[in-house]
Amino acid sequence: MKYEKLLKSKMSAESFERLAALKNPKVMEFVGFFAEHCDPDSIYVCTDSEEDMKYVRQQALALGEEWPMRYPNHTVHWDSYYDQGRDKNATKYLVYKENLERMKALNSIEYETGIKEILDISAGIMRGKQAVVLFFAEGPTESPFTIPCVQFTDSWYVAHSEYILYRSAYNHFLKMKDSEKDDFFRFIHSAGRLDENNNSVDLDKRRVYIDTQNNIVYSMNNQYAGNSVGLKKHSMRLAINKSGQEGWLCEHMFIMAAVNEEKNRKTYFCGAYPSACGKTSTAMIPGELIVGDDIAYFRNINGEFRAVNVENGMFGIIKDVNAKDDPVIFKNLMKDQEVIFSNVLVGPDGMPYWLGMGVEAPDEGRNHFGKWHRGVKDSDGNVVDIAHPNARYTMRLDYLDNIDKEGFESKTGVKVEGILYGGRDSDTTVPIEESPNWKDGILLKACTLESETTSATLGAEGVRVSNPMANIDFVSYPLGQYTINNIRFVDGMREVPKIFSTNYFMRGRDGKFITSKLAKKVWLHWAEGRIHGEFDAYETPTGRIPKYEDLVMLFKKYLNEDFSKETYDYLFTFRCSKWIAKLERTKAFYAKTDPNTPKEIFDYWDAAIAKIAAAKEKYGDEILPGAYHG
Ligand code: SPV
Ligand code: MN
């Protein structure tokens, strides 16, 4: 074996034996090549054992990538002040010359040029460091959904995060048949040179280069998990490409179950929401059950639409998690159980503090800025907040007492009956609307998803940003084809999930939100009822909406609130011009993002616009619920 001597010189006999036992030449080649190229001092090979998990955590602490806190099972990790989110500009697809034309709408770089650049950047990058090789699965192991993955990294924080977030799969690799041994994802990562705080310093050489042609991702000079953790968003891009070729789907969706106690039934929903549109809070509605909060794989299994949570844990935004709004998560973060906090403040009491925590923070401590005190300014003269708005927690999902154990552990996933596409706009989309069928749902609900900028985001307020399927950052082949694949996915299925749109952000004439945060429970249960044929609905030019009396009943039942006819009429008015404008924005976004989008898609939207224009002609620009009859 080409790299045997080299690997033996960098590994203990035990680590080498673990690698050799896999009898997988492609794994050997991958580890050997980067052992030589990145040149770490030593390499540790992990299995699925409890001892290895503990060792990785202990190493992250010993090497100063994580720090102890007041509770023994808590640790904190800080990313560089300038490495606090996904670096979209430096994230590129490595594309063979012959594929460049097809991929030109994506942020891509010609393969030979890109591979040379990334190999130059990574040459000798691990010198002086201890690297680690780990095996994980996307989805449950040994299931029809499993995608085996190998991670090679010099960050023990990345390794530790992955043990929490994914299912360990060394045994899965051991059991792979010869015919399967070629088919897995590879991730090579280095945090690069570190400063005295153990933060990546060469951020000008931060790169994430994705090669969907060979299922490998190169990530260099970063630590923020969205940039560094291979199994998260890098893997998602590889999976979206792979699923496109194989006829399944990888979606940026939660999975949850709506629980109807009266009827003794559990109905599984998946949901896609751009950030800050209510994704986690929908997945965590009190009284319902959660299966996953970020990424789902969909497969047609014996004619059924089935989904698994790709992950085992949550890398959740901690901002605004507080005892009132997110009691389940808050309680778990405050317990002495394994959590990695990132980019929060740790006070003199060793406890974590963050924005919107609902607890008074101390005046000093340590955060992503370093030593921090109230009022301290960064080098640009900006006051540094107690924590970064993108500060996060990394935690196993099965700590949550609202976990749906049955769905979470199932090797064949759960049968999905409803899909929610949730956007954010202040004046167009009604709180809940059912699509008459799958195709209309994809083209009118999924493709048109937008989020509206708020005062909390950079730039102008009130700008609508298109984000089809809430997946636009990760769609790794042309958007038009991806859209067609979404439409075709259900072909031949016995039952097809109902698609709904949601919008929790409609504002009244006074500019204030109209319903409380918990109203989403009512919209969910209306959808749940519709799936089981229970409520009547009114037609609109884009779908079907609830009747007033059903919502009155649901508001009373679930929230003990009175729901006024005036609020109903306002919320569920169909606004023709606003909808036409939304469809025009969607068309423009597709034309710009993927000029090769099939004409049939644009024709469909033109027909939808014509239908709405005719409705406007007949009923006026604002159509009250119940008034529209085609
Ligand atoms: C997202 O941005 O959708 C996340 C966090 O889930 S990250 O890992 O940064 O992608
Ligand atoms: Mn996400």
Side-chain angles (χ1 to χ4, degrees):
M1 203 275 292
K2 187 175 166 196
Y3 294 107
E4 182 167 346
K5 199 161 155 244
L6 174 93
L7 288 176
K8 282 184 167 162
S9 74
K10 290 184 186 286
M11 284 180 186
S12 68
E14 189 184 27
S15 274
F16 184 80
E17 205 23 66
R18 288 171 171 186
L19 210 53
L22 299 177
K23 299 192 176 59
N24 187 320
K26 192 165 165 181
V27 171
M28 272 294 183
E29 165 72 25
F30 170 64
V31 177
F33 178 85
F34 287 102
E36 181 169 85
H37 183 73
C38 301
D39 199 21
D41 288 3
S42 64
I43 304 169
Y44 185 86
V45 177
C46 288
T47 65
D48 304 338
S49 74
E50 194 70 32
E51 297 87 81
D52 279 347
M53 288 184 216
K54 286 196 179 131
Y55 177 65
V56 162
R57 181 177 183 278
Q58 181 201 315
Q59 280 289 90
L61 282 160
L63 296 168
E65 282 192 87
E66 291 176 37
W67 301 78
M69 298 176 65
R70 161 116 141 247
Y71 292 152
N73 288 299
H74 285 179
T75 55
V76 61
H77 162 83
W78 290 292
D79 297 301
S80 159
Y81 193 67
Y82 302 100
D83 185 27
Q84 294 287 324
R86 276 186 280 115
D87 183 346
K88 294 194 200 182
N89 288 332
T91 300
K92 294 185 188 171
Y93 295 95
L94 290 166
V95 180
Y96 293 152
K97 248 198 194 86
E98 61 269 28
N99 297 336
L100 266 179
E101 176 58 28
R102 178 175 169 264
M103 295 281 279
K104 73 167 184 257
L106 297 166
N107 194 10
S108 44
I109 181 166
E110 190 272 320
Y111 186 85
E112 293 300 329
T113 315
I115 202 79
K116 181 174 181 322
E117 185 192 2
I118 198 75
L119 288 179
D120 283 350
I121 286 175
S122 55
I125 198 167
M126 296 185 183
R127 265 177 215 141
K129 294 207 205 172
Q130 307 172 44
V132 53
V133 174
L134 309 106
F135 301 88
F136 294 104
E138 296 288 19
T141 56
E142 298 171 61
S143 86
F145 290 93
T146 316
I147 296 187
C149 301
V150 186
Q151 173 82 61
F152 186 150
T153 177
D154 60 13
S155 167
W156 295 74
Y157 158 69
V158 166
H160 182 199
S161 300
E162 288 181 336
Y163 264 134
I164 296 174
L165 293 173
Y166 303 96
R167 287 122 171 154
S168 188
Y170 179 79
N171 283 322
H172 182 102
F173 271 84
L174 266 182
K175 290 189 203 162
M176 272 156 82
K177 297 191 195 84
D178 282 345
S179 61
E180 300 163 343
K181 283 186 176 170
D182 237 21
D183 196 10
F184 57 91
F185 292 170
R186 293 165 292 170
F187 305 103
I188 176 75
H189 167 258
S190 172
R193 273 195 314 136
L194 303 177
D195 64 12
E196 67 283 3
N197 295 324
N198 291 314
N199 285 151
S200 301
V201 282
D202 293 318
L203 296 180
D204 58 324
K205 297 200 193 93
R206 176 171 56 194
R207 298 286 184 279
V208 177
Y209 280 6
I210 301 150
D211 176 0
T212 56
Q213 300 134 146
N214 298 292
N215 285 328
I216 179 165
V217 180
Y218 308 77
S219 170
M220 298 293 149
N221 294 305
N222 62 61
Q223 289 162 308
Y224 169 68
N227 292 320
S228 62
V229 168
L231 278 275
K232 187 114 188 139
K233 292 307 184 348
H234 309 342
S235 170
M236 191 174 169
R237 293 178 173 94
L238 297 183
I240 287 174
N241 177 68
K242 186 175 167 67
S243 63
Q245 289 170 359
E246 296 175 354
W248 48 282
L249 292 174
C250 167
E251 295 301 306
H252 197 196
M253 288 196 187
F254 66 67
I255 308 174
M256 58 96 69
V259 179
N260 190 325
E261 274 169 12
E262 206 174 291
K263 301 270 163 57
N264 198 18
R265 68 187 178 216
K266 203 157 82 170
T267 307
Y268 288 101
F269 284 84
C270 292
Y273 292 66
S275 46
C277 292
K279 186 176 180 183
T280 308
S281 56
T282 306
M284 296 285 298
I285 293 175
E288 322 296 344
L289 296 168
I290 184 169
V291 179
D293 81 316
D294 199 30
I295 307 169
Y297 288 169
F298 295 161
R299 278 186 183 269
N300 174 342
I301 298 185
N302 301 327
E304 265 184 17
F305 189 122
R306 303 202 60 99
V308 287
N309 177 9
V310 168
E311 304 180 287
N312 200 44
M314 305 172 80
F315 177 58
I317 295 186
I318 204 164
K319 179 170 178 270
D320 294 332
V321 172
N322 57 55
K324 183 169 157 281
D325 296 326
D326 292 288
V328 179
I329 294 176
F330 189 80
K331 186 180 86 184
N332 276 285
L333 295 179
M334 288 296 140
K335 265 193 212 168
D336 186 13
Q337 58 189 2
E338 188 172 26
V339 179
I340 310 174
F341 293 91
S342 51
N343 306 316
V344 298
L345 175 75
V346 177
D349 57 356
M351 293 298 284
Y353 295 90
W354 58 85
L355 299 168
M357 183 186 185
V359 168
E360 181 126 25
D363 293 328
E364 56 174 27
R366 189 168 168 190
N367 65 11
H368 57 298
F369 180 70
K371 216 170 132 42
W372 176 89
H373 60 84
R374 213 172 274 282
V376 71
K377 291 184 176 159
D378 64 17
S379 54
D380 296 324
N382 298 317
V383 172
V384 182
D385 241 323
I386 63 163
H388 195 275
N390 195 29
R392 302 234 169 197
Y393 59 88
T394 302
M395 182 173 83
R396 298 172 63 97
L397 254 163
D398 61 7
Y399 288 167
L400 303 179
D401 39 29
N402 58 342
I403 183 126
D404 177 56
K405 266 210 162 353
E406 184 190 355
F408 185 63
E409 283 165 12
S410 164
K411 298 255 186 215
T412 51
V414 299
K415 182 180 167 211
V416 180
E417 296 185 86
I419 307 242
L420 308 174
Y421 287 101
R424 171 190 273 265
D425 71 55
S426 48
D427 60 13
T428 309
T429 317
V430 299
I432 182 101
E433 185 176 59
E434 175 189 320
S435 177
N437 61 53
W438 179 262
K439 182 179 174 189
D440 290 321
I442 295 299
L443 292 172
L444 285 183
K445 309 283 189 254
C447 296
T448 63
L449 264 192
E450 294 176 302
S451 56
E452 187 175 311
T453 52
T454 66
S455 53
T457 44
L458 294 174
E461 220 177 307
V463 176
R464 319 259 155 130
V465 182
S466 292
N467 193 344
M469 291 74 164
N471 209 3
I472 199 66
D473 284 355
F474 312 106
V475 172
S476 49
Y477 64 95
L479 180 62
Q481 192 54 47
Y482 167 74
T483 304
I484 295 283
N485 288 348
N486 259 267
I487 294 170
R488 290 194 186 141
F489 174 64
V490 297
D491 289 355
M493 281 190 197
R494 268 177 285 138
E495 285 166 73
V496 176
K498 273 190 188 291
I499 293 180
F500 301 85
S501 61
T502 72
N503 174 26
Y504 308 142
F505 303 95
M506 188 70 125
R507 290 175 196 259
R509 292 185 184 91
D510 58 0
K512 294 204 177 104
F513 290 129
I514 297 171
T515 51
S516 73
K517 282 190 180 173
L518 275 180
K520 47 177 82 78
K521 191 171 175 82
V522 169
W523 317 136
L524 177 75
H525 279 275
W526 183 76
E528 193 264 354
R530 286 292 296 171
I531 288 167
H532 298 282
E534 276 163 16
F535 302 118
D536 277 340
Y538 291 129
E539 294 291 317
T540 78
T542 52
R544 296 170 186 151
I545 53 169
K547 292 194 158 177
Y548 175 62
E549 56 271 25
D550 294 323
L551 292 181
V552 169
M553 183 278 288
L554 291 168
F555 266 95
K556 200 76 205 160
K557 176 171 171 186
Y558 287 106
L559 305 178
N560 196 26
E561 280 178 24
D562 296 322
F563 185 62
S564 78
K565 179 75 168 45
E566 194 194 342
T567 306
Y568 169 76
D569 283 345
Y570 183 82
L571 281 173
F572 286 93
T573 288
F574 187 85
R575 294 167 172 88
C576 297
S577 302
K578 299 263 193 234
W579 250 102
I580 290 172
K582 188 181 186 67
L583 288 169
E584 292 293 355
R585 287 193 299 273
T586 303
K587 276 172 59 188
F589 181 79
Y590 267 74
K592 182 185 79 187
T593 310
D594 181 11
N596 294 325
T597 299
K599 186 170 168 298
E600 63 172 280
I601 293 184
F602 291 107
D603 289 348
Y604 175 95
W605 287 323
D606 284 336
I609 289 169
K611 183 177 175 188
I612 298 169
K616 181 176 165 181
E617 194 66 20
K618 189 162 167 194
Y619 300 98
D621 196 26
E622 300 200 342
I623 308 175
L624 279 171
Y628 178 79
H629 300 285

